[in-house]
Amino acid sequence: MTPVPVPVRPAPGRGLAEDVRHLLDEALEVYQDVPAAVSRLRASRERLDEPLRVALAGRVKAGKSTLLNALVGERIAPTDAGECTRVVTWYQRGPVPRVVMHGTDGRRRPLPVRRYRGELRLELADAAVEQVERLVVDWPAAGLGTATLIDTPGISSLSVENSARTEAFLDAGDQVSGADAVLFLTRQFQPADLAFLATVQQACGGLPTTTLSVLSRADDAGGGQLDALIAAGQLARRTADLPAVRALSATVLPVAGLMALGGRTMRHGDFVAFRSLARADRSDVETMLLTADRFRRPEVPVDLSAEVRSGLLERFGLFGVRMAVALLRTGVTDGPTLADQLVVRSGLAELQRLLAVQFTERGDQLKAATALRLFERLLRGLPVSGSRLLWRSLERVRVASLELLELDLLARTRASDSPFAPDVRQEAERLLGAHGSSAAARLGLPPDSTAAQLRVAAGTAVARWQALVTDPLARRATVDAADVLVREVEALLTQLGGPVDDEPGSDLDSAARLP
C-alpha cells in the first residue's frame, strides 16, 4: 500500500492560538480605559504573530556565540570578549544585512555592517554598554527562518551588570518575557545554574519543555580524543536523569560547537588541507595532532603552511581537525560529505532536530501558554468591571484546549512525582509529542507508515491506556494523566479516519495491557 502523508492533529475550530487572540481582543475592550493593561495586552497579542524567540544563555565562555553561529550556518555573532558580548543581541531573518541599536531611552540607531575575515563585527560606536537595551541584527540566513535567536551576556560572571542584563531580559515580571524558550549551555551543572534555570522556567511559562540544555565544548569530556563525544554523551544522559535537572530541562545534549561551526562553514580550501593531512605519513600526522602547539609549529613533516594549519585550528578546533582526518582515512571522499559528517558527529544535527521538535513545532503552543499565564496575572492584579466574564472566557479556553493539557502533562512526566511509572513514561512522553508532533512520531512508527498502519497503532494505544484509566488500583494522578493520553490518541485516531474495527489483522484486546 502506498504511504500517505498524515497531518498531526490540526486543532478543531479556531485552534488554541486563535482562541487566545480572541480572548486578548475581548480583554482589550474591557480594559480600554486602563493604559497599563492595554499596553500589556497589546504586547501579548503582537507576540503571538511574531517568530518564536529562542535565547542562548549560560556562563561566560560557555560557547553561546559559537553555537549560535553553528545553528545559523554563518559567523555573525562575535565570539571574542568585546563590548558587544555584554549586550543582549537579537539575530533575525531579514532581506538584507542590517544592525540597529535600541537604546535604553527608546531611540533606535543604525550601525555599520562590517565583516572581517569572514566574521561580522559589531561595534557600539560612541554608546556605552549601559545605554544599550539591545542590538538587533537582520541577516538573510536560512538558519533564522523558523526562529529569532538571541545571544545573551554570560551569567555568574565577575560583572554583576552582565548577569543582570540576561536575567532582566528573560524574567520581565508582569511583562512578556524576552524569550519563548531557552537553550542553556554549561560545561558542568552548578547550583547557580539550576537556580537560574528555575527562574527561566517561571518566566517562560513554568514548563521544563521550554528549556534544552547543552553540554558545551563536549570534546573536552574525553580529552579531545576521537571518542570524546561518546564519553560526553554518557555524561549528558546521567546529568539529564538527575531529578533536579529533569525538572528544569527537557533534556541534556553534548555538542562540540566549534567542530559544528566548522562543518557548517567549511570551504573547499579546508577540505584540500584536510585531505593533505589524511594522505601524509600517519605517524607524522599523529605526532602533529598531539597538541595544538605541535600542530602550529613552523617546521612540520607535512607540506602545509603554518598559516593554513592555524586557520584550521581556529575554525575547527584540534578535535575537529582530528575528526576530519580520521573521516577521510576511513572512506569519506568529498567536501560536502565531510562537512555533513562533522555536523552530525558534533551533536549539532541532533540538537537541530530537538529544537524543531521541542520549540519550533510547538511555537504557537508555547507563545499561547505564556500569553494566558500573563493574562491571568493581569486579571488578578488589575480587576475591573467585566473581569468575571474574562475569567470565564479564560477557563473556557483552557478547558477546551487539549494542547495546553498536553504541555502541562509533558512537564509533569519529568517531575519527581511523575504520574507515570518508569516503565511507561517513555511511551507517554512520545504520545505527548516529545519525539515529534507527527502521527508517526507520536505512535513510534516509521515516517513512511501508511494511514492504515497508523490507525492500528492508535487503536492499540487507546485500548492500552484506557485499561489504565479503569484500573481500580491506579492512583488518581495516574488515572487523570492516562485519561489525557486517551483523549490525545482518540483525537489523532479521528483524524486518521476513525476506529480500526474494520482493519484486517487488528487485535486490540491482546494489546490492552500495559507492559
Side-chain angles (χ1 to χ4, degrees):
M1 185 179 295
T2 303
V4 295
V6 180
V8 59
R9 270 189 334 112
R14 293 188 305 225
L16 174 60
E18 194 61 24
D19 284 343
V20 173
R21 288 188 185 92
H22 281 266
L23 176 62
L24 295 176
D25 289 341
E26 181 183 348
L28 281 168
E29 294 183 10
V30 173
Y31 280 97
Q32 59 183 316
D33 295 326
V34 186
V38 169
S39 176
R40 289 160 62 177
L41 289 167
R42 283 178 176 169
S44 291
R45 179 67 167 79
E46 293 168 1
R47 181 67 167 272
L48 292 173
D49 298 316
E50 296 175 355
L52 189 75
R53 299 178 191 170
V54 179
L56 283 79
R59 291 172 176 264
V60 175
K61 293 296 183 181
K64 300 184 297 297
S65 299
T66 298
L67 183 58
L68 188 149
N69 287 335
L71 290 169
V72 175
E74 294 192 46
R75 297 175 183 269
I76 59 174
T79 56
D80 56 15
E83 58 183 4
C84 287
T85 60
R86 298 161 56 196
V87 175
V88 174
T89 306
W90 298 35
Y91 296 88
Q92 60 190 26
R93 190 170 187 177
V96 295
R98 184 178 66 165
V99 181
V100 177
M101 181 176 67
H102 293 240
T104 54
D105 58 1
R107 290 189 293 180
R108 300 182 182 183
R109 174 182 174 183
L111 297 177
V113 178
R114 297 193 181 101
R115 302 202 76 166
Y116 174 71
R117 298 177 62 184
E119 298 183 4
L120 179 65
R121 311 298 290 183
L122 297 178
E123 299 174 354
L124 300 182
D126 57 351
V129 171
E130 295 75 17
Q131 297 174 313
V132 180
E133 188 255 327
R134 70 178 183 268
L135 295 179
V136 178
V137 178
D138 288 0
W139 205 260
L144 295 170
T146 57
T148 295
L149 299 180
I150 302 169
D151 200 2
T152 64
I155 64 168
S156 301
S157 64
L158 294 177
S159 172
V160 177
E161 292 80 7
N162 289 351
S163 296
R165 289 188 190 96
T166 297
E167 292 170 3
F169 169 73
L170 293 172
D171 186 5
D174 291 336
Q175 305 300 318
V176 179
S177 170
D180 301 300
V182 173
L183 193 57
F184 184 76
L185 282 73
T186 183
R187 301 180 76 172
Q188 183 177 5
F189 273 98
Q190 304 291 337
D193 297 334
L194 298 176
F196 174 78
L197 285 180
T199 300
V200 168
Q201 185 181 109
Q202 292 304 312
C204 294
L207 302 171
T209 48
T210 57
T211 301
L212 284 175
S213 296
V214 170
L215 289 185
S216 58
R217 302 186 177 181
D219 44 304
D220 290 344
Q225 299 304 310
L226 290 178
D227 61 352
L229 285 175
I230 297 176
Q234 295 169 344
L235 175 60
R237 286 189 290 274
R238 291 196 301 270
T239 303
D241 287 337
L242 294 174
V245 175
R246 184 178 176 85
L248 296 170
S249 178
T251 191
V252 181
L253 289 174
V255 177
L258 190 55
M259 185 172 83
L261 176 57
R264 292 294 310 274
T265 60
M266 194 173 78
R267 302 171 298 198
H268 179 68
D270 298 327
F271 171 72
V272 172
F274 285 136
R275 187 174 58 188
S276 296
L277 290 168
R279 290 176 175 177
D281 182 82
R282 181 183 290 264
S283 62
D284 288 342
V285 174
E286 295 303 323
T287 300
M288 290 170 57
L289 289 174
L290 286 175
T291 66
D293 287 339
R294 282 177 178 267
F295 192 70
R296 286 195 187 97
R297 285 179 178 176
E299 300 296 332
V300 294
V302 174
D303 186 17
L304 210 59
S305 71
E307 181 181 0
V308 170
R309 285 180 276 115
S310 294
L312 292 178
L313 284 178
E314 180 182 345
R315 292 191 298 278
F316 294 84
L318 185 61
F319 177 69
V321 175
R322 288 170 174 164
M323 182 64 71
V325 172
L327 288 169
L328 288 169
R329 286 173 175 168
T330 55
V332 174
T333 58
D334 61 272
T337 301
L338 178 61
D340 290 343
Q341 282 295 307
L342 291 175
V343 170
V344 170
R345 292 171 184 269
S346 71
L348 181 68
E350 177 63 10
L351 175 60
Q352 290 173 314
R353 186 190 72 81
L354 282 178
L355 283 172
V357 169
Q358 297 286 346
F359 294 164
T360 55
E361 290 181 8
R362 293 181 179 273
D364 287 346
Q365 289 175 294
L366 296 175
K367 289 184 289 185
T370 298
L372 291 177
R373 179 178 56 82
L374 293 175
F375 181 62
E376 179 178 350
R377 189 177 296 179
L378 174 66
L379 290 180
R380 293 186 185 281
L382 289 174
V384 295
S385 176
S387 292
R388 182 172 298 181
L389 292 177
L390 292 177
W391 275 111
R392 292 176 182 171
S393 297
L394 172 62
E395 189 61 23
R396 280 197 298 271
V397 171
R398 283 177 167 165
V399 170
S401 173
L402 195 55
E403 296 162 277
L404 289 177
L405 288 174
E406 175 182 282
L407 279 177
D408 177 70
L409 182 54
L410 185 56
R412 287 191 287 119
T413 64
R414 305 177 188 279
S416 57
D417 58 345
S418 171
F420 299 114
D423 58 339
V424 298
R425 185 179 299 157
Q426 184 175 2
E427 182 188 358
E429 291 184 355
R430 190 189 70 231
L431 289 171
L432 291 168
H435 300 165
S437 60
S438 69
R442 289 173 184 265
L443 295 169
L445 295 179
D448 59 352
S449 298
T450 65
Q453 291 169 331
L454 294 172
R455 283 196 296 270
V456 170
T460 300
V462 167
R464 187 162 58 247
W465 287 97
Q466 185 64 52
L468 185 55
V469 172
T470 58
D471 184 352
L473 299 180
R475 58 192 180 105
R476 183 75 259 171
T478 301
V479 170
D480 291 342
D483 185 60
V484 172
L485 287 179
V486 169
R487 291 172 56 189
E488 281 277 350
V489 186
E490 284 179 341
L492 185 61
L493 185 57
T494 299
Q495 292 180 37
L496 291 169
V500 297
D501 295 340
D502 57 343
E503 295 291 347
S506 63
D507 185 1
L508 303 188
D509 292 336
S510 63
R513 294 182 299 275
L514 286 166

